[in-house]
Amino acid sequence: LAGRVPCKVIGLVNKGDRLVSSGDAGYARAVKAGDHYSWQHVIGRSIDTKINEEPGLVEIVVGAK
């Protein structure tokens, strides 16, 4: 699977942020400074910006390298 897809997210997301799974089932969250994660946890990178904390949709790029 590779390409641009919508992704359900929680919290603030800036364009270019890496997204990882959140504690809420079915939602992703942006990686914050100081978070410890592996490349295996990354879902994709955000193409859009979301400026509120509520659940919402952003478009992301997914793909294997």
Side-chain angles (χ1 to χ4, degrees), residues 4-25:
R4 297 165 64 151
V5 296
C7 182
K8 296 190 300 186
V9 294
I10 292 179
L12 303 174
V13 177
N14 292 316
K15 185 176 181 176
D17 282 350
R18 286 186 176 98
L19 298 175
V20 295
S21 59
S22 71
D24 296 329

Side-chain angles (χ1 to χ4, degrees), residues 10-64:
I10 292 179
L12 303 174
V13 177
N14 292 316
K15 185 176 181 176
D17 282 350
R18 286 186 176 98
L19 298 175
V20 295
S21 59
S22 71
D24 296 329
Y27 287 90
R29 66 173 178 83
V31 174
K32 306 286 188 252
D35 281 355
H36 297 286
Y37 68 95
S38 165
W39 63 270
Q40 298 162 325
H41 299 124
V42 176
I43 298 167
R45 281 194 182 252
S46 174
I47 299 175
D48 294 331
T49 298
K50 188 169 92 47
I51 58 172
N52 57 32
E53 293 285 337
E54 294 142 12
L57 283 173
V58 295
E59 191 169 5
I60 68 170
V61 173
V62 295

